[in-house]
Amino acid sequence: MRGGNLLVRNGLIVTSEAMFKADVKVVDGKIVSIGEGLSNEGVDEVIDAKGMLVLPGVVDEHVHMREPGLEFKDDFTHGTKAAALGGVTTVIEQPNTLPPVEDSNTLLAKAKLLEGKAFVDFALYGVLYDSNVHNFEDMISSGAVGFKVFLGPTTGNIPPPSTGSLYHILSLSAKHNVTIAFHAEDNDLVNYFTNKVRSEGRVDAKAHEDARPPICEELAVIKLATIAKRTGGHAHILHLSSKEAVEVIKEGKVRGVKLTGETCPHYLLLSNEDYVKYGTLMKVNPPIRGLTHQQALWEGIKEGVIETIGSDHAPHTVEEKKKSVWEASSGFIGVQTLLPLTLDAALKGKLQLTLLPKLLSENPAKLFKLWPRKGVINVGSDGDLVIVDPNEEFTITQEWLISKNPVTPFIGWKVRGRIKHTILRGVPIVRDGILQNVSQGSWLKAIF
Ligand code: NCD
Ligand code: ZN
């Protein structure tokens, strides 16, 4: 794996423990020293970061880049270019592509296909359902960093596993120390409420929220908490959207259950009051809910119940997003706006700045066994850095968004903080906000 030789001078380093002024020196792609007044000996480039914040490159644990099989929605080249522009240096790619990543052959084929196209480093999830749990060990030894399990209906129509299979999956998670990430909405309840709301003749965008109420997420998380408690397996609940689910995780944690949670910027920054404005553009699973839920998610972050923020980058075509509420696709792009939106929140005092490296880089890298190589500014770690100007204002525009389908509710949003440089293993892949033509991303395997 290639790596650059670079010195970043005079920046304000932000880690999960502290903020301090220092230089960071990267040689052969690895951080070799952190301190004041470092020499530029042996480096090819010096970046002056005076007045800027230097954060670890973001590890986005939740992206659907759509390749292979769904390239009409988006592809890996566009997705990883978007990542680079958004300060994301590692993406963990979801398995609901075509074919789904269900065994070591599909995993290895996907890795091979993507490696030549990656602008940032990437790792891969495998998917688990009833008929392929026997491939668990094989996929891990082939390089999967974790698994995704879909409990409720969503893009890809991957069937939910039986309760017996869930027990088996979480037992294997305990045995092999592997994180299992869940789309946690109870399938039967989603179907029940969807039929109910549809039969009422509802066609407004908010009907989607009512078709998947909080109890769907709550029940799914209660079930996972119970099985995780009994098996010792690790259940990581993705895209948390409700107060009730946060409470279940909080209680489970107190009792020592291996439960962790992720939320996404859209659950923190939008609410069901916005359906009038954005319509099906903000349709996503689980749905965006009321302000009480939004508030509970912020609390969950502050209390450490929610340990990661991922983007759930989920591109669909403009036509797919514009359909009627029951037909429109769920999800929208997010990898490029993950850091800008959360950085803005931090700079405006909604969240402690030192929480950003923890939520966006360190914790995802730990959960998916990429730490300490990824997710931290430390001697010996990869030289993955993002350098931002905290004083500049920046407007998210359609032109700035790199995607085949640059649609998101966040277009037009003004944020504080501008991403200046993104560094991947000591090589600037974004300089002064401009994407560089270096597609040198590598496939990362787990460090067990
Ligand atoms: C995701 C997608 O489109 O792949 N959609 C979504 O609404 N979140 C799938 C998922 O994670 O549920
Ligand atoms: Zn999901």
Side-chain angles (χ1 to χ4, degrees):
M1 197 181 293
R2 288 185 296 129
N5 306 308
L6 179 84
L7 180 66
V8 177
R9 256 195 191 138
N10 302 320
L12 187 63
I13 315 290
V14 186
T15 74
S16 53
E17 271 95 45
M19 294 203 273
F20 53 95
K21 246 190 96 194
D23 304 343
V24 181
K25 189 169 182 175
V26 181
V27 173
D28 286 336
K30 299 273 180 201
I31 298 174
V32 294
S33 44
I34 303 164
E36 284 193 87
L38 299 183
S39 90
N40 59 2
E41 203 186 305
V43 303
D44 306 319
E45 185 171 350
V46 178
I47 289 184
D48 186 17
K50 195 169 176 350
M52 299 202 201
L53 307 177
V54 181
L55 295 123
V58 172
V59 178
D60 187 348
E61 64 176 18
H62 194 171
V63 303
H64 303 265
M65 298 294 192
R66 305 304 194 203
E67 194 169 347
L70 297 161
E71 292 86 351
F72 67 94
K73 292 177 191 281
D74 215 343
D75 60 31
F76 206 63
T77 305
H78 283 82
T80 52
K81 282 182 176 178
L85 281 165
V88 175
T89 48
T90 300
V91 291
I92 313 187
E93 159 69 1
Q94 295 285 332
N96 58 336
T97 32
L98 284 179
V101 182
E102 59 189 2
D103 56 23
S104 56
N105 284 343
T106 43
L107 182 98
L108 293 169
K110 185 168 177 175
K112 196 168 169 218
L113 172 75
L114 302 186
E115 194 141 38
K117 306 180 178 194
F119 276 70
V120 299
D121 285 349
F122 68 97
L124 297 176
Y125 284 88
V127 70
L128 292 172
Y129 34 79
D130 277 335
S131 56
N132 80 329
V133 182
H134 61 278
N135 292 331
F136 190 113
E137 276 113 345
D138 244 15
M139 282 195 269
I140 289 300
S141 32
S142 298
V145 293
F147 291 101
K148 174 72 173 283
V149 175
F150 292 90
L151 297 189
T154 191
T155 310
N157 296 321
I158 289 173
S162 68
T163 309
S165 294
L166 281 180
Y167 189 92
H168 189 185
I169 290 166
L170 282 166
S171 303
L172 289 169
S173 154
K175 183 173 170 199
H176 297 286
N177 183 26
V178 171
T179 300
I180 315 291
F182 288 92
H183 179 114
E185 287 184 289
D186 183 81
N187 199 56
D188 289 348
L189 272 183
V190 169
N191 289 336
Y192 166 76
F193 282 106
T194 303
N195 290 335
K196 185 168 178 288
V197 176
R198 282 192 83 154
S199 70
E200 288 163 5
R202 295 265 308 271
V203 289
D204 56 303
K206 196 179 170 301
H208 178 69
E209 183 201 354
D210 298 333
R212 304 171 84 114
I215 188 173
C216 301
E217 190 172 67
E218 183 185 14
L219 187 65
V221 179
I222 287 175
K223 186 171 175 177
L224 293 172
T226 307
I227 302 176
K229 180 164 109 188
R230 295 298 168 204
T231 56
H234 182 166
H236 182 49
I237 316 298
L238 295 181
H239 44 40
L240 278 164
S241 65
S242 69
K243 180 175 189 285
E244 289 79 358
V246 175
E247 280 163 7
V248 178
I249 296 177
K250 189 172 169 179
E251 286 160 18
K253 275 177 177 291
V254 171
R255 284 195 248 106
V257 185
K258 278 196 195 160
L259 273 181
T260 47
E262 172 211 73
T263 194
C264 316
H266 39 279
Y267 300 109
L268 295 167
L269 301 170
L270 298 172
S271 80
N272 58 8
E273 294 174 6
D274 297 308
Y275 284 113
V276 181
K277 184 170 175 194
Y278 298 115
T280 52
L281 177 55
M282 62 182 264
K283 182 181 176 189
V284 61
N285 298 327
I288 292 164
R289 310 183 191 278
L291 290 169
T292 326
H293 295 284
Q294 189 193 83
Q295 190 51 39
L297 294 168
W298 280 112
E299 287 302 317
I301 286 177
K302 282 174 199 153
E303 292 176 359
V305 178
I306 294 175
E307 294 178 47
T308 63
I309 303 181
S311 69
D312 191 6
H313 177 78
H316 296 285
T317 67
V318 180
E319 294 71 36
E320 287 173 316
K321 288 301 292 173
K322 275 191 180 154
K323 290 183 178 167
S324 71
V325 63
W326 302 116
E327 306 304 323
S329 296
S330 295
F332 44 83
I333 55 169
V335 71
Q336 202 173 335
T337 48
L338 172 63
L339 179 62
L341 292 169
T342 48
L343 178 67
D344 177 68
L347 292 172
K348 288 176 178 161
K350 281 197 94 168
L351 150 99
Q352 222 180 312
L353 200 50
T354 47
L355 264 179
L356 279 189
K358 221 185 182 78
L359 290 159
L360 298 176
S361 304
E362 188 174 316
N363 286 346
K366 282 182 176 165
L367 283 172
F368 295 99
K369 314 290 184 295
L370 299 171
W371 184 89
R373 178 171 166 202
K374 297 293 186 187
V376 62
I377 301 179
N378 236 341
V379 170
S381 298
D382 279 2
D384 297 345
L385 306 167
V386 52
I387 303 173
V388 303
D389 185 337
N391 298 312
E392 254 189 74
E393 268 218 343
F394 173 68
T395 303
I396 297 167
T397 60
Q398 195 167 47
E399 297 67 51
W400 179 66
L401 292 166
I402 300 247
S403 169
K404 282 192 185 175
N405 289 287
V407 281
T408 144
F410 295 113
I411 289 175
W413 281 45
K414 251 196 200 111
V415 293
R416 220 183 118 187
R418 189 187 189 110
I419 298 168
K420 289 293 209 190
H421 314 288
T422 307
I423 317 288
L424 177 67
R425 287 181 269 106
V427 178
I429 53 172
V430 171
R431 259 201 190 89
D432 283 316
I434 313 274
L435 185 74
Q436 307 296 296
N437 199 18
V438 270
S439 60
Q440 58 145 20
S442 283
W443 178 35
L444 305 168
K445 297 188 187 182
I447 310 165
F448 281 100

